[in-house]
């Protein structure tokens, strides 16, 4: 299982990036590729074990899960909206994911020392 989570995350990230980048061309399968990739990212993040017990780490994990759900919601917006509303949702998801990607390792390091 330890090797599956990073592989799932990497494959999902490549698929989500490809689907989002190709969506502007109007390719019919781009939202499908993006949504499957976002689902893989969400599965990988949900299955990542918690390494700490502090309130800050728990809060950051919840934010990370919300970011993953926002990625999936972006895929739903790609299917249902006609404009570029999905970009706003993707931006929020990216900010949450980026913030937690830097803060979780910092907090885990604080807990170890």
């Amino acid at each position: 299982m330890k090797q599956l989570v990073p592989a799932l995350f990497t494959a999902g990230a490549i698929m989500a990036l490809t689907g989002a980048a190709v969506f502007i061309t109007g390719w019919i399968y781009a939202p499908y590729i993006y949504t499957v990739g976002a689902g893989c990212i969400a599965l990988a993040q949900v299955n990542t074990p918690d390494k700490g017990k502090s309130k800050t780490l728990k809060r950051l994990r919840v934010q990370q899960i919300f970011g993953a759900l926002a990625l999936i919601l972006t895929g739903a917006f790609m299917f249902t909206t006609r404009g570029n509303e999905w970009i706003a949702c993707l931006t929020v998801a990216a900010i949450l994911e980026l913030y937690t990607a830097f803060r979780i390792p910092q907090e885990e390091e604080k807990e170890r020392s």
Side-chain angles (χ1 to χ4, degrees):
M1 186 67 159
K2 283 187 176 184
Q3 293 86 14
L4 182 64
V5 171
L8 188 64
F9 185 85
T10 303
I14 291 169
M15 290 175 70
L17 180 62
T18 303
V22 176
F23 184 76
I24 59 172
T25 65
W27 190 43
I28 187 172
Y29 297 112
Y32 296 100
I33 293 171
Y34 173 83
T35 305
V36 169
C40 290
I41 290 171
L43 278 174
Q45 287 183 345
V46 166
N47 289 321
T48 301
D50 292 338
K51 295 181 181 174
K53 301 291 183 199
S54 72
K55 286 184 181 181
T56 305
L57 267 174
K58 289 180 183 179
R59 176 186 54 84
L60 287 168
R61 286 285 295 154
V62 168
Q63 285 179 353
Q64 189 178 42
I65 300 301
F66 276 131
L69 292 175
L71 286 173
I72 294 172
L73 184 63
T74 299
F77 283 154
M78 285 179 160
F79 285 111
T80 58
T81 60
R82 296 211 178 263
N84 291 331
E85 293 86 0
W86 63 274
I87 294 174
C89 190
L90 181 61
T91 303
V92 170
I95 290 169
L96 283 171
E97 293 290 335
L98 185 65
Y99 176 71
T100 58
F102 283 102
R103 289 284 292 139
I104 287 175
Q106 274 183 340
E107 289 298 319
E108 287 175 348
E109 186 64 33
K110 281 182 189 177
E111 242 182 44
R112 277 188 234 136
S113 52

